[in-house]
Structures are given as C-alpha cells and as structure tokens.
Amino acid sequence: QKEVEQDPGPLSVPEGAIVSLNCTYSNSAFQYFMWYRQYSRKGPELLMYTYSSGNKEDGRFTAQVDKSSKYISLFIRDSQPSDSATYLCAMSAGNNDMRFGAGTRLTVKP
Amino acid sequence: ETGVTQSPTHLIKTRGQQVTLRCSSQSGHNTVSWYQQALGQGPQFIFQYYREEENGRGNFPPRFSGLQFPNYSSELNVNALELDDSALYLCASSLPGGTGELFFGEGSRLTVL
C-alpha cells in the first residue's frame, strides 16, 4: 500500500461543475496538507495549504482535511476550462520529506 | 520577486553518462529540495539542502548527489545514468521549517537513451 493514494483519473467535467478531488494516506504523523496544480510540462504550483484537520476556503477552492479518517479533499466550484490540469495532493510530517500523490488529471470541457 | 529557475529545460544523455542540473532558488529562500517526477507519477523527494549542507534524503542511491552554494543556488548531479533515471527533475525552494510550502521551478526533463 502506498503512503499516499490518489485516483489518477482522468476526470472530465463540464464547465461550471463542482469538482471533488481526494487523497487518502496511511501515515498518522502527517500534519501539513497541500494541494498543488500542475499544468502540462510545467512545475507544480501551490494551490492550498492546510495545517491539521479542518476546512480552508480560497475563492472557488475549498480544502478539507479529516485526520481521523486520513482523508483530504479539494473542491473546485464553478470549474473553468483553465482549471484543466493535474492536481497533486501532498503532505508532510513537518520534516523535509514531503509525500505526493500520483496526481489526478482533470479536464473541464467548455 | 524572482521565482525558481532551472537549467537546462531539456537534455538527452546516454546510459552510463553523468549529468548536472542547476537551480536558482526564489529570492529570500535558503532551503532547496530536489524531486524526481516520473511520467504519470507524483514527485519523489531526492534530498534537501539548507545552509550548504544536505538536510535530509529520500530513497535514492549515492550516485544522486548535490550541492548548495552560498547564494542558495543548487546543483543536482547524477552519475552512471540508467534508463530509469529518465524523468522530470524539479527543484523547489522554501523557507526553513519543513512545513511544506514549496515553490517549484519548471523542471529539467532528462531522457536517458
């Protein structure tokens, strides 16, 4: 079992849809949870950062962390074609070794 | 504010050769991490440098080595290249503390033939 599991998709939705992306993990030491967006042939870009359990909202994006279930989610409201990218979940125990999921490839169709 | 820059962007090597990849960190960031991202996979931690010293290492063999310079720029060296080393190599800079807010460069895409 991988330390961080993420469904690779691909996921295709119509413009305006609500998108739900998820990751599960096995290491209970993880405290810092992040979502990165990676466009084709580009480096990952930090989207959301959450410490411990709870919700965080930033514009159309909401990140949720449930440490009791070892489950994190990213919701995208009113999805746009420009949201088409690969979304990577990442987590860290506070040391320098961040663990990434495999990434979910999202396509938002006009 | 200057972002993370990496060079070269693409390169092709043959098995057994050596390669050096370079990275300039974001302004004000004194910690640099290197990641390997194989096609269709998430980035995997190679190592991190802080104050010119290795500050943690992932599950990579010793033929992967690095340097950090006084200006916080960094190099990744890979010796005795293998076909499986073909990947996107990402450099990320951050502030010390390990909380995870990494700022990535565009990456160097290495192909080993």
Side-chain angles (χ1 to χ4, degrees), chain A residues 56-94:
Chain A
K56 185 173 183 178
E57 188 173 319
D58 184 2
R60 298 185 294 111
F61 298 90
T62 299
Q64 289 185 350
V65 175
D66 182 350
K67 289 188 71 179
S68 62
S69 301
K70 296 189 177 68
Y71 187 87
I72 71 171
S73 301
L74 177 71
F75 297 95
I76 307 174
R77 290 183 299 281
D78 187 25
S79 57
Q80 303 295 309
S82 59
D83 294 328
S84 298
T86 296
Y87 289 80
L88 297 156
C89 64
M91 44 202 79
S92 164

Side-chain angles (χ1 to χ4, degrees), chain A residues 6-15 17-21 37-40 47 60-61 74-88 103-109:
Chain A
Q6 183 176 11
D7 186 340
L11 181 62
S12 181
V13 301
E15 184 175 352
I18 296 175
V19 176
S20 172
L21 304 168
R37 177 174 62 194
Q38 186 172 25
Y39 292 113
S40 180
L47 263 183
R60 298 185 294 111
F61 298 90
L74 177 71
F75 297 95
I76 307 174
R77 290 183 299 281
D78 187 25
S79 57
Q80 303 295 309
S82 59
D83 294 328
S84 298
T86 296
Y87 289 80
L88 297 156
T104 300
R105 195 171 68 187
L106 170 68
T107 300
V108 181
K109 295 186 174 180

Side-chain angles (χ1 to χ4, degrees), chain A residues 2 32 34 36 38 41-44 46 49 88 92 94-98 100-103, chain B residues 35 37 40-43 45 48 55-56 88 90 97-102 104-106 109:
Chain A
K2 289 184 180 178
Y32 303 92
M34 287 130 286
Y36 285 83
Q38 186 172 25
R41 302 186 182 280
K42 299 287 187 182
L46 181 64
Y49 170 86
L88 297 156
S92 164
N95 55 15
N96 42 34
D97 183 357
M98 189 181 306
F100 284 82
Chain B
Y35 286 80
Q37 186 176 24
Q41 300 296 317
F45 177 67
Q48 183 185 81
N55 185 39
L88 180 68
L90 294 162
T99 58
E101 293 184 88
L102 298 177
F104 284 91
E106 302 282 270
R109 186 164 297 280

